[in-house]
Amino acid sequence: MGTAERDEESGAGTAGGQGGRRFGNIRIGNVRDGVVGIGDNNRIVNGPQGGAVCDPAYEELLRAVGQLSADLARLVDSPQVSALSDELTSTQDEIQRTGRAGAGRLARLRVLLQDAGAGVGMLASGVAVGQAVGALLGG
């Protein structure tokens, strides 16, 4: 990537010294793995961001999943609780990466919530995940 040079006489810039025009015209040669902003009030962010933007319903599910994951750590471990915990982690990863969770994942989560039994059903976070999944699956 070339460096920008400034023509002191005219105040115009040239890109990498490769014949950019003067008096306000801008010429950009090659840019690789970078960003360019031209004009006033630009905001350029280069690099990975905090995840995909998601629908408020998925944001609610993401919060509930995080809370239930923390609550499950306090329960006596069982195969059902372990399977639910693993699915919660996968659901959280998928929502953070894509902004949503697929219908198949939501259906598995619903079944695993039921399989984990009364202990999870008594947790407020378990109820919140169940309600969020129900709303997203339509029932």
Side-chain angles (χ1 to χ4, degrees), residues 112-125:
L112 289 168
L113 279 167
Q114 293 167 348
D115 290 349
V120 172
M122 291 176 21
L123 296 171
S125 57

Side-chain angles (χ1 to χ4, degrees), residues 49-54 62 89-102 105:
Q49 302 307 302
V53 176
C54 60
L62 188 59
T89 299
S90 297
T91 302
Q92 191 171 26
D93 291 344
E94 184 175 349
I95 294 171
Q96 288 173 336
R97 193 178 67 256
T98 67
R100 61 182 308 275
R105 182 170 309 282

